[in-house]
Amino acid sequence: MDRSITKGVDCISSMPDVILHHILSFIPIGLAIRSSTLSKRWRHVWCETPRLDFRGYHPMATARDINQTLISYKAPKITSFHLCVIVWVPKLEPQIDSWIEFAVSRNVEQLFLSFGCRVNHATYRFPNSFYRSSSLQNLNVDFITGIPGCTVSWKSLRSLTLGHCFQSLDDVLSGCPVLETLTLGYCGGVHSLDLSKSPTLTILKINRRLYCWPTPGSIKIVAPHLRYLDLLNTHETCTLVDVSSLTKAKLDIRIWGDPYRYHYYSDDEKADFLRLENMLLKMLAQLRNVELLTFETTFLQIISVAELRGVSFPMLKVQTLTLHTMIARSVTPGITRLLQSSPALKKLIVYATEPKSIDDRDLDDYLDSQGMNLDQCWRSKCDGFPTLSNFHFRDATWYLKLVASFIEWLLKNVKTLETLVVVFEYLCCSDDATWFEELLRMLPTLSNNNNVSIVLRRG
């Protein structure tokens, strides 16, 4: 037995302060402070840890604790400052200001501010020092409302995440000369996003949430320098005006209705569907030069309907295509058209997901309203693939045959493909793993195309 263990030697306390500070930086500051009771050696170690984490603090009852912590804090620089106030109390606003000013005065580099769902977005304004922090490199904040009381000067800011935004971002972006990544959540006040004057901004992520009120509304994006676009969009109009430098894009479309059950759509909602279909095809045209594309199930269903209606598709230069999709009838026409419109495709990655999205009956209602013969149009494009309702109470043998047919079908629709990767995130018969082992044994016989490397994985 190690003698140091038998004698109870404290190896951690003998480490240099800089290592102890690093260790304490991984836990909330309340726990870090408790380490001061371990021994005299630990009494003041927490005071100079470079990271302060106040997540999960309630209002006035703990404001005193936060203030006392900041009074005792001795580090000249803060690398990371997390503040989360779960319930908003109006008289707490001056305290919030002082805590933010403290972080700024210590040259904070990463600032994370969360104020819960009850904050009064209409009245609260950040202190001017917040907008003048020259040390900020990464800012993640719930909201920014109103025009800043001073000129924004975030000279070092490289990553900006806004959970909510209720007005134009022009004043903010003009003060971020080296910004590289912009992430937006619900931004109901942003109807035009002009990034043409932000040459360093290459990554844009937008999550236009479906269940927010008021609804986000339309948005127009001008981003000639953008390299990566990640768009989680509702059925509200999104127009890509200039994304000419894009090399990678991901589109995830969410629309009205419960994805688990049939929903009868009104005439207005059917008109919205047609508008959404047109919007997605225009977006696809703007993405025609992108080399890496990722699409989700709902997007595939909508362009499937467009394919059944005979709408023309743009030719794509995509080389790596990733699809997060169920193996079902309602996505196969769209996938077919995507593959046939991608003559330079080298790698196809398919994540087989749980069968849920727009109900087949909803799609049938829409096609019927457009004068389509349902039996004829579905049978001509995707005969043999199940509807969502057909997935219930199926056994492993059925699912094995479905997956094998799906892989063979994919390979018939590609000409230049080098690699096919299929990741099974959804296992129809999770209690019976033998089907996957059998699928692996079938792999050599699934295709006569020896030039395609096939990789199968369980997610």
Side-chain angles (χ1 to χ4, degrees):
M1 182 177 292
D2 191 330
R3 294 180 61 188
S4 64
I5 296 178
T6 60
K7 293 184 177 181
V9 175
D10 185 357
C11 298
I12 296 180
S13 294
S14 63
M15 294 180 178
D17 282 359
V18 64
I19 295 180
L20 298 181
H21 295 156
H22 182 70
I23 293 173
L24 293 180
S25 69
F26 288 99
I27 61 176
I29 191 61
L31 295 177
I33 292 174
R34 293 180 187 177
S35 69
S36 62
T37 62
L38 296 176
S39 66
K40 291 183 179 180
R41 170 74 175 88
W42 285 85
R43 185 168 299 171
H44 301 292
V45 171
W46 75 267
C47 297
E48 296 191 36
T49 181
R51 184 174 182 267
L52 290 177
D53 187 344
F54 294 107
R55 278 178 285 188
Y57 272 61
H58 288 267
M60 300 305 294
T62 54
R64 186 190 314 107
D65 297 330
I66 295 177
N67 289 331
Q68 186 58 51
T69 298
L70 298 184
I71 290 173
S72 303
Y73 189 71
K74 305 301 180 184
K77 182 175 183 59
I78 299 177
T79 59
S80 178
F81 188 91
H82 289 249
L83 177 62
C84 176
V85 179
I86 297 177
V87 180
W88 186 265
V89 178
K91 62 181 178 180
L92 194 63
E93 292 183 7
Q95 298 279 8
I96 299 288
D97 288 350
S98 68
W99 298 335
I100 294 175
E101 289 170 346
F102 179 89
V104 171
S105 70
R106 298 296 176 95
N107 299 312
V108 62
E109 294 179 354
Q110 300 183 58
L111 184 59
F112 302 86
L113 303 173
S114 178
F115 303 119
C117 60
R118 296 186 182 181
V119 60
N120 192 336
H121 300 114
T123 62
Y124 181 71
R125 297 292 182 270
F126 288 97
N128 287 345
S129 60
F130 168 74
Y131 293 107
R132 293 172 177 165
S133 174
S134 59
S135 61
L136 263 183
Q137 297 179 23
N138 183 0
L139 174 62
N140 188 320
V141 62
D142 270 357
F143 65 92
I144 288 182
T145 57
I147 299 174
C150 62
T151 301
V152 176
S153 183
W154 287 329
K155 297 179 180 179
S156 303
L157 192 66
R158 298 187 179 278
S159 178
L160 173 61
T161 299
L162 293 176
H164 296 75
C165 188
F166 299 92
Q167 77 286 323
S168 169
L169 290 175
D170 292 345
D171 291 330
V172 172
L173 295 177
S174 63
C176 307
V178 297
L179 188 64
E180 298 173 354
T181 301
L182 176 62
T183 303
L184 303 176
Y186 170 75
C187 292
V190 181
H191 301 296
S192 178
L193 192 58
D194 188 350
L195 307 178
S196 59
K197 297 180 181 179
S198 302
T200 61
L201 204 163
T202 58
I203 300 175
L204 176 62
K205 302 177 182 180
I206 301 180
N207 183 347
R208 291 163 61 76
R209 300 168 191 163
L210 179 61
Y211 300 109
C212 286
W213 182 261
T215 54
S218 62
I219 185 171
K220 179 174 67 176
I221 299 175
V222 182
H225 310 291
L226 210 61
R227 306 288 288 178
Y228 174 54
L229 173 65
D230 185 343
L231 180 61
L232 172 59
N233 194 40
T234 69
H235 62 287
E236 300 295 338
T237 302
C238 179
T239 304
L240 302 179
V241 178
D242 184 358
V243 287
S244 52
S245 297
L246 271 183
T247 60
K248 183 178 181 181
K250 177 181 179 181
L251 295 184
D252 186 0
I253 306 300
R254 306 289 172 87
I255 81 172
W256 18 250
D258 186 338
Y260 293 96
R261 61 183 176 86
Y262 173 64
H263 171 78
Y264 177 78
Y265 294 126
S266 66
D267 290 341
D268 287 341
E269 288 174 322
K270 291 175 182 176
D272 278 347
F273 194 98
L274 179 60
R275 177 179 55 79
L276 178 60
E277 178 186 307
N278 293 332
M279 178 191 76
L280 294 185
L281 290 173
K282 290 179 180 178
M283 292 175 68
L284 199 58
Q286 286 289 333
L287 301 175
R288 60 185 177 274
N289 294 323
V290 178
E291 297 177 354
L292 292 91
L293 286 174
T294 299
F295 299 121
E296 305 283 338
T297 293
T298 303
F299 176 90
L300 297 173
Q301 288 183 299
I302 295 170
I303 65 170
S304 289
V305 169
E307 168 66 5
L308 293 176
R309 293 179 57 244
V311 179
S312 61
F313 278 65
M315 296 302 293
L316 306 174
K317 295 183 180 180
V318 58
Q319 296 182 21
T320 299
L321 177 63
T322 301
L323 305 176
H324 293 258
T325 180
M326 56 191 177
I327 304 176
R329 183 188 74 170
S330 59
V331 297
T332 50
I335 295 176
T336 300
R337 178 52 58 192
L338 278 178
L339 297 179
Q340 294 175 353
S341 300
S342 307
L345 186 64
K346 302 298 181 185
K347 186 174 184 178
L348 175 61
I349 305 171
V350 178
Y351 288 87
T353 60
E354 183 178 358
K356 64 176 183 179
S357 196
I358 308 174
D359 193 284
D360 292 85
R361 291 170 292 181
D362 296 324
L363 298 177
D364 287 348
D365 280 350
Y366 174 71
L367 288 169
D368 184 61
S369 72
Q370 301 299 306
M372 303 292 295
N373 184 312
L374 300 182
D375 290 336
Q376 182 178 353
C377 65
W378 285 119
R379 188 180 300 112
S380 64
K381 296 291 184 179
C382 46
D383 192 28
F385 288 99
T387 61
L388 296 186
S389 60
N390 290 140
F391 274 86
H392 300 298
F393 309 111
R394 295 289 184 165
D395 59 19
T397 301
W398 176 86
Y399 193 59
L400 174 63
K401 292 180 179 179
L402 173 64
V403 171
S405 298
F406 179 70
I407 293 174
E408 290 179 328
W409 170 79
L410 286 175
L411 294 173
K412 289 178 181 178
N413 284 282
V414 292
K415 295 181 179 180
T416 60
L417 195 68
E418 296 176 356
T419 304
L420 170 63
V421 180
V422 182
V423 182
F424 296 94
E425 293 185 334
Y426 169 76
L427 303 179
C428 181
C429 306
S430 57
D431 59 334
D432 185 353
T434 58
W435 71 268
F436 187 77
E437 305 302 325
E438 180 63 25
L439 182 63
L440 292 176
R441 287 192 289 269
M442 293 173 57
L443 191 57
T445 65
L446 289 178
S447 171
N448 294 324
N449 188 345
N450 295 324
N451 295 323
V452 179
S453 173
I454 302 177
V455 179
L456 305 179
R457 297 202 305 264
R458 297 178 65 169

